[in-house]
Amino acid sequence: MIHMLHDINDCYTLSNGVKIPCVGYGTYVESDAEKNVEVIGQAIRAGYRLLDTASFYGTETYMAQALKKCGIPREEFFITSKVWKTEMGYEQTKEAFDRTLENLQTDYLDMYLIHWPVPGADCEDWRQLDADTWRAMEELYEEGRIRAIGVSNFLPHHIENLLENGRIAPMVDQLEFHPGYHQAVTLHYCKEHNIRVQAWSPLGRRRVLEDPLILELARKYETSAAQICLRFAFQEEVIPLPKASSLERMEQNQDIFSFEISREDMYRLETMPQTGWSGQHPDGLL
């Protein structure tokens, strides 16, 4: 499939038939609102059409302003947002969704995700909470207000709960994913269940970009360390959502189609020691 994709806006097809671009842009968080609007606008001008936000990020209103300024029709974008830990529950999710639409100044979302499966390590009824949240999302989807629904940071046991208690299977699982944090079990599970994986933090952190193996491969393939990380995700058929604040890096992050990492080097990347993990565990564990 990946050999048929040659541009960041070439698409995969989700389990419900909805098309989703193969590379997206994770909204960059700045304390300066004006700078946020400019950075998102710059990403749009650079060509990104899959834009990822969340109520927790506080960037929904900035994205709305950037979209309004760009003059490009709404239907040309694939916009994702997420319901936060404190917004979960049946009624609360519907209220949170309405706030998100108001913030984004749109009457529908292309995709809506449950941001985290467990609000905290002391949450004993997370299974019921997730099921209630998912029921609200299923209804919003069936009403045509969301084109696709999914989850974020869900491990197999969290997804199993939705499959057992819900009517519609998640179409996407957005995970922390990068060399040094491959999440092989969850990746395999999602592929088996036709759930498309997206990668937040696909570049890892400075430790990943300065890792000796990443730097070795960047020299070998005559690319940047960031391009190695993004191409790694792409060859795993994972949708990377890189963040960047400069136009140069935004454009460089798109240039992942002109080279291919060898099978041997992919094995090396897949088996790297854990590097650059955020420290955030979906079960609320440290």
Side-chain angles (χ1 to χ4, degrees), residues 24-237:
Y25 179 77
T27 50
Y28 190 78
V29 180
E30 287 278 354
S31 57
D32 183 337
E34 187 175 334
K35 187 171 183 181
N36 257 313
V37 176
E38 174 56 28
V39 167
I40 296 170
Q42 195 164 249
I44 293 170
R45 293 191 294 275
Y48 291 94
R49 295 297 178 264
L50 167 52
L51 303 176
D52 181 85
T53 185
S55 62
F56 180 71
Y57 298 166
T59 54
E60 291 175 335
T61 56
Y62 307 140
M63 185 180 291
Q65 293 176 58
L67 289 167
K68 186 176 182 180
K69 283 185 176 182
C70 78
I72 299 170
R74 163 69 178 88
E75 57 270 21
E76 292 192 22
F77 291 94
F78 192 103
I79 299 174
T80 299
S81 194
K82 310 174 191 75
V83 59
W84 183 241
K85 297 174 181 181
T86 56
E87 300 170 326
M88 294 171 70
Y90 178 75
E91 293 293 345
Q92 296 93 321
T93 295
K94 291 199 170 185
E95 292 169 3
F97 178 75
D98 286 337
R99 285 194 298 272
T100 282
L101 289 191
E102 184 177 351
N103 288 340
L104 286 166
Q105 297 178 33
T106 184
D107 57 2
Y108 74 97
L109 279 184
D110 295 282
M111 190 160 69
Y112 200 40
L113 309 177
I114 303 177
H115 207 146
W116 287 90
V118 181
D122 58 347
C123 180
E124 296 181 0
D125 62 345
W126 66 264
R127 290 177 179 82
Q128 187 61 53
L129 186 62
D130 284 5
D132 291 342
T133 302
W134 190 246
R135 180 162 56 93
M137 292 176 66
E138 288 176 326
E139 291 179 8
L140 292 166
Y141 170 73
E142 290 172 331
E143 291 166 7
R145 303 181 71 194
I146 312 170
R147 297 178 64 228
I149 52 176
V151 295
S152 177
N153 300 298
F154 274 53
L155 303 178
H157 59 290
H158 304 128
I159 298 174
E160 288 281 298
N161 178 53
L162 298 186
L163 297 181
E164 292 169 4
N165 294 291
R167 295 176 289 106
I168 301 171
M171 294 141 200
V172 163
D173 189 4
Q174 188 178 122
L175 302 169
E176 178 177 1
F177 176 96
H178 51 77
Y181 202 67
H182 184 229
Q183 301 236 50
V185 171
T186 304
L187 183 62
H188 177 73
Y189 178 92
C190 286
K191 287 182 177 180
E192 278 194 329
H193 290 81
N194 199 19
I195 299 170
R196 177 63 57 182
V197 173
Q198 290 184 316
W200 65 263
S201 192
L203 305 181
R205 283 147 190 83
R206 183 167 297 278
R207 282 169 290 169
V208 176
L209 295 178
E210 295 177 352
D211 183 88
L213 174 58
I214 300 295
L215 294 175
E216 175 197 326
L217 296 181
R219 290 191 296 271
K220 175 178 178 179
Y221 293 98
E222 299 181 335
T223 63
S224 70
Q227 287 168 301
I228 292 295
C229 294
L230 296 173
R231 180 70 196 192
F232 171 69
F234 179 69
Q235 287 187 215
E236 293 282 17
E237 299 189 5

Side-chain angles (χ1 to χ4, degrees), residues 266-278:
M266 285 295 291
Y267 284 139
R268 297 172 72 197
L269 290 168
E270 289 165 348
T271 55
M272 276 178 61
Q274 183 169 296
T275 307
W277 177 46
S278 67

